[in-house]
Amino acid sequence: LNAYKKSFDKNGCQPIAKILSGAEEMLPEFQDRSKLRILGIIQSVKTIRTKSDNQMMAFATVEDTSASIEML
């Protein structure tokens, strides 16, 4: 990921650790449904079918140099 440092800075990406700490501190820019840019590696993907309408849903774990986070 260090090779992409310039892209990270240029595109306004947020470190995952900053997103996690901002959410814990209840900062408005890091709350649920906020739009953020991150740059990381997808570590895992899990798909399920919802019980209510049998739709596919995916959970992805993304990691950068600071932390990892699960996303829908």
Side-chain angles (χ1 to χ4, degrees), residues 16-55:
I16 292 172
K18 183 177 178 181
I19 295 167
L20 294 172
S21 66
E24 286 180 10
E25 295 172 20
M26 304 296 286
L27 298 177
E29 62 267 29
F30 298 119
Q31 295 306 302
D32 286 349
R33 301 188 185 272
S34 296
K35 292 184 181 183
L36 303 167
R37 287 182 187 222
I38 62 170
L39 178 68
I41 296 172
I42 297 172
Q43 291 297 323
S44 65
V45 176
K46 176 182 152 188
T47 58
I48 64 166
R49 290 209 173 263
T50 61
K51 291 180 182 179
S52 60
D53 56 5
N54 205 33
Q55 293 283 326

